[in-house]
Amino acid sequence: MSASTDFDLIEQPHDGELALTGPSVRLDPLHRPVRGDLAHIALAGKVFVPHYAVPMPHVVAGEGAVLRKAGNAEGEAIVDLAGGETFNVLDMAGGWAWGQQGEDGFVGYVPQSALVLA
């Protein structure tokens, strides 16, 4: 696996400038990588947030990890991620990575220590 992201494979929102044409659409935060301050670059033009991020593919290490709703050990568990599974990181802070299970799985937080750069 490569340690870099192939930016040519990421779908661009459209060719022109982005414009707000109405209210932002509210997406399910468990299935779409968007939160109040950040969203996946593929959602540019669909949701309005201050920042958009290109996913950084990582692999869940060892025996796996628990994906949580919050970036702390007390956060509600969403799903168990298997070792070797892809986790696309959009943000890292405080020892936790926020992102999405694979390309279209659940969205949440995983301890950074449970991930290895793909």
Side-chain angles (χ1 to χ4, degrees):
M1 289 188 217
S2 172
S4 65
T5 299
D6 189 347
F7 293 102
D8 294 332
L9 297 178
I10 297 172
E11 181 181 334
Q12 298 299 314
H14 43 75
D15 295 330
E17 291 185 28
L18 297 177
L20 293 177
T21 58
S24 182
V25 177
R26 181 151 174 87
L27 301 175
D28 178 4
L30 285 179
H31 295 97
R32 296 291 177 256
V34 61
R35 58 185 200 198
D37 65 332
L38 181 67
H40 190 295
I41 188 69
L43 296 174
K46 296 179 177 116
V47 296
F48 180 69
V49 294
H51 304 281
Y52 299 93
V54 174
M56 297 178 296
H58 284 68
V59 174
V60 178
E63 297 296 314
V66 176
L67 183 68
R68 299 188 178 278
K69 284 188 177 182
N72 59 59
E74 292 78 35
E76 182 182 338
I78 299 171
V79 69
D80 290 329
L81 302 175
E85 188 170 350
T86 299
F87 186 76
N88 288 305
V89 175
L90 295 165
D91 187 32
M92 291 183 174
W96 290 85
W98 177 74
Q100 186 169 29
Q101 174 189 28
E103 296 301 319
D104 58 1
F106 286 104
V107 175
Y109 294 84
V110 174
Q112 281 181 251
S113 60
L115 299 174
V116 184
L117 192 60

